[in-house]
């Protein structure tokens, strides 16, 4: 997360890192074990808002779409085929979402109609950097 932290320090990026207790509570509530990479995201960033880019996480009100407790629950309820260990990262437009799959450690582009459309072969940090540097 070094490159992302540097970018955050040098730009007007809104984040809210969270503590281990908050992460543990989210894992329990969502019935997911987060990967070390995703835990590092939450501990170092929490969620991210920069210009037009918003990346879901924790550290924002539970009623906000950016909070994975809300957005994951909604997507699971609306779409029974939502990947069991995934959490939303961001809207990918056209009804698709970018998800972080904690079962595989991959970022994927997912469609409610056809499932995983694409697996991105980049780290979570690289994915976020690509989105905010566009």
């Amino acid at each position: 997360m070094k490159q992302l932290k540097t970018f955050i320090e040098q730009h007007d990026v809104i984040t809210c890192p969270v503590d281990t207790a908050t992460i543990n509570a989210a894992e329990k509530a969502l019935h997911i074990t987060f990967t070390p990479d995703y835990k590092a995201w939450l501990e170092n960033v929490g969620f991210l808002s920069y210009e037009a880019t918003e990346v879901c996480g924790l550290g924002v009100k539970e009623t906000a779409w950016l909070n994975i407790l809300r957005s994951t629950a909604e997507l699971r309820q609306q779409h029974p085929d939502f990947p069991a260990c995934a959490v939303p990262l961001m809207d990918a437009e056209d009804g698709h979402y970018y998800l972080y799959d904690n079962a595989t450690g991959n970022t994927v582009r997912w469609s409610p109609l056809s499932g995983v459309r694409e697996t991105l072969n980049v780290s979570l940090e690289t994915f976020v950097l690509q989105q905010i540097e566009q």
Side-chain angles (χ1 to χ4, degrees):
M1 293 281 161
K2 290 179 185 177
Q3 287 180 295
L4 182 57
K5 287 180 83 169
T6 300
F7 184 93
I8 290 168
E9 290 168 2
Q10 295 174 350
H11 296 83
D12 191 22
V13 180
I14 299 169
T15 65
C16 187
V18 296
D19 60 20
T20 302
T22 302
I23 295 168
N24 293 341
E27 286 180 307
K28 186 175 180 179
L30 296 173
H31 306 288
I32 296 174
T33 300
F34 297 144
T35 64
D37 199 30
Y38 194 69
K39 286 182 183 181
W41 161 259
L42 297 172
E43 290 171 340
N44 289 289
V45 182
F47 79 97
L48 182 143
S49 180
Y50 176 69
E51 295 180 349
T53 303
E54 294 181 321
V55 184
C56 297
L58 296 171
V60 62
K61 289 183 183 181
E62 284 190 32
T63 56
W65 172 256
L66 288 177
N67 188 303
I68 59 169
L69 297 174
R70 176 188 170 194
S71 52
T72 303
E74 268 187 41
L75 288 168
R76 285 177 175 174
Q77 183 179 28
Q78 295 170 357
H79 309 287
D81 293 333
F82 186 81
C85 293
V87 292
L89 291 174
M90 62 187 297
D91 188 336
E93 300 179 358
D94 297 330
H96 297 180
Y97 298 89
Y98 288 113
L99 309 177
Y100 183 79
D101 188 344
N102 284 281
T104 64
N106 292 321
T107 299
V108 299
R109 184 179 175 109
W110 177 80
S111 163
L113 299 175
S114 55
V116 173
R117 309 269 308 156
E118 176 184 11
T119 299
L120 307 175
N121 292 316
V122 297
S123 69
L124 178 56
E125 177 184 31
T126 299
F127 168 77
V128 173
L129 282 167
Q130 289 172 346
Q131 298 305 309
I132 61 180
E133 291 177 338
Q134 286 185 14

